[in-house]
Structure formats: C-alpha cells, structure tokens
Amino acid sequence: MATTASTLALLLCSYATLATPVAPQGLGNIAKPNVNRAPRKLSGISPRNRMSRLAPRVQREKVFGDKKDGVLRQEVAKIGGTAPMGEFWDPLGISNGKSGSELKRYREAEITHGRVAMLGAMGFMVQEQNRPLFNGIIEGPAIRHFERMNEAFPGFWIPVVAAIGNAELTRARKGWEDPRTGNLWKLKDSYTPGDMGFDPLGLYPAENEDAQVEIKNRELNNGRLAMLALAGFMAQELVTDDPIYTSAFERYVDQVQYIGK
C-alpha cells in the first residue's frame, strides 16, 4: 500500500512538472503581467512637471525655445522704442515673422551702422571745413576724398583695411556664436547688442538700469539721425559736387539776396 502511494505521488509530481510552461531558451523566465494591478500614480508631482517628464524631448525644447524667443523680443523692444514712434515702430513690417534671435541681430546691425554714421557725419563736416588731417591737402567734397587719398597716399588703405578687419573680428568673437557649431548668423545668448566693453570715459551707468535704458536710447536715436544725415550729405554732394558747407552757404546767400530784392 505504501509502495502504491509513493508511486502515485511520484506520478503526480512528474505531471505537474510537465504541465508547467517553460520559457524558450535564451529568453529567461518571463513573468506574466498582472493585468489587475492598478497603474502607478506619480504622487507629489504637479501636472506641469508630469507633462515635462512624459513629453518627448523635442517637444520640451520647442516649448522652452518659444518662451526664450519671446523674452528676446521683449528685450529688443525695450530699447529704442521712444516717443513719438512708440515702443515698436515698424511701418514696413520688417520684423513680422522674425524670431527674437533675428531681431537681436538686427539691433546689433542698427547700433553698429549708427556708430559708423555718427563718425562719418562728423568727419564730413570737420574735414571739409577745417581739413585737420594730411596737412590740408585733401579738400573738396568728402565723397571724393577716397579717390584723392589713394592718389596722395597709395598705401594708406592697407593699415585702414587691417584695422577694420581687426575691429570686426573682435566684435565677432565677443558677440557671435562659433560658426563651426552650425550657428552662422546667431548672437550669443549672453551678449547684449553693441556692448563691446569699450567705455574709456566711464559714461555708462553700470548699476542704474533706468539710466542704462536712457543712454542706450540716446545712442540709438542719435545713430538713426546720423544715418539719415549721412545719406543726405552724400546725395547732396553727388548732385552739387560741392562740400556741404559751401553749397549750404551759397544757398543761404542766394536766398538772402532773393528776399532783399
């Protein structure tokens, strides 16, 4: 009887072993998923953070990129929007559809051209009237000075071009992204347009934000006026072929004589 019971127990154990499913070789033991288990809750995480964790990385970069772009647009609009034109005067719609990075690059170009125009407008008036440079041998309308300089000093433009190239290279290294990274036309995020750190007279108020905005607006507005003035100077001299002071004085005399008649 004992032998019969032992034999029966052995047969039952063998049947149980054969009836148990075995995972394919090489895959290991795969546990059967528990469909009745409740989903795990992300307790203590706000919906916003939960979305940022679950959203794809590309989507997160797009969201943060749009927010950063809006901040850049606000920074550009903060400077240069003065009365009577308003905060963001753009009648031609040049800024429409432009990103904050592109507007920041436009502002850099505006400041740079404004500074060059201020120096150029002053150079027109000073050199034509007083001729302090080159022993006074360069005279006449300023639009012809380039040609006369080349005739009087043929090698003068070599150091001038070298100086301009050095200034542009310094500005590019300070404010522009490395083109080898693929950002060929992008300014650095940490760079403020026009801020080259050049202030030998200490005029820039480093600790007063309101004063900083005011002095930046002054520079922009004077640069804008200088660009218009320089364009007017060149157009007038192309038409009259006379220096600015000469043609202006002659017109003044003609008007006085006409009124006197």
Side-chain angles (χ1 to χ4, degrees), residues 11 30 34 42 52 59 66 86 146 182 195 223 227 246 258:
L11 290 174
I30 302 177
N34 187 358
L42 298 177
S52 65
Q59 182 66 20
D66 292 343
F146 289 166
D195 185 8
M227 286 187 280
T246 301
Y258 178 78

Side-chain angles (χ1 to χ4, degrees), residues 3-229:
T3 305
T4 305
S6 300
T7 304
L8 182 60
L10 181 61
L11 290 174
L12 290 175
C13 291
S14 300
Y15 175 78
T17 303
L18 293 174
T20 302
V22 180
Q25 186 177 1
L27 296 180
N29 295 327
I30 302 177
K32 184 178 180 181
N34 187 358
V35 296
N36 297 323
R37 186 178 62 182
R40 185 178 61 178
K41 295 183 179 180
L42 298 177
S43 59
I45 302 177
S46 63
R48 181 176 180 179
N49 292 335
R50 189 181 306 168
M51 181 189 69
S52 65
R53 288 189 177 186
L54 300 178
R57 180 178 179 183
V58 176
Q59 182 66 20
R60 291 204 306 270
E61 291 180 353
K62 182 178 185 301
V63 171
F64 293 129
D66 292 343
K67 181 179 179 181
K68 180 179 177 181
D69 188 72
V71 172
L72 285 176
R73 291 182 66 91
Q74 291 177 1
E75 290 179 354
V76 173
K78 183 178 179 181
I79 307 298
T82 55
M85 301 307 178
E87 184 179 12
F88 207 84
W89 189 70
D90 184 18
L92 299 180
I94 297 176
S95 63
N96 293 343
K98 299 298 187 297
S99 65
S101 178
E102 289 176 303
L103 293 180
K104 187 176 179 180
R105 190 174 75 244
Y106 289 172
R107 176 54 50 82
E108 170 76 5
E110 182 182 25
I111 294 175
T112 303
H113 285 84
R115 291 170 176 173
V116 173
M118 286 188 281
L119 291 174
M122 183 176 65
F124 260 68
M125 296 182 289
V126 172
Q127 182 62 23
E128 285 185 353
Q129 183 68 11
N130 301 315
R131 296 190 294 277
L133 302 177
F134 311 108
N135 296 324
I137 62 175
I138 306 298
E139 56 183 5
I143 59 172
R144 309 297 180 193
H145 287 187
F146 289 166
E147 302 171 9
R148 295 174 183 175
M149 281 293 301
N150 193 38
E151 295 172 358
F153 307 97
F156 174 76
W157 292 112
I158 297 177
V160 171
V161 172
I164 294 174
N166 180 67
E168 288 299 303
L169 181 60
T170 302
R171 185 169 68 95
R173 286 179 173 177
K174 182 176 179 62
W176 295 77
E177 292 282 0
D178 191 338
R180 291 174 296 183
T181 62
N183 298 318
L184 184 60
W185 303 108
K186 188 176 184 299
L187 294 174
K188 295 179 180 178
D189 295 336
S190 59
Y191 176 70
T192 301
D195 185 8
M196 298 300 299
F198 179 76
D199 185 21
L201 300 180
L203 300 177
Y204 186 72
E207 299 180 356
N208 191 330
E209 186 175 354
D210 293 337
Q212 292 175 7
V213 172
E214 182 179 357
I215 198 169
K216 288 178 180 179
N217 283 329
R218 289 179 181 177
E219 182 185 29
L220 268 174
N221 288 333
N222 281 281
R224 291 163 177 170
L225 178 61
M227 286 187 280
L228 293 174

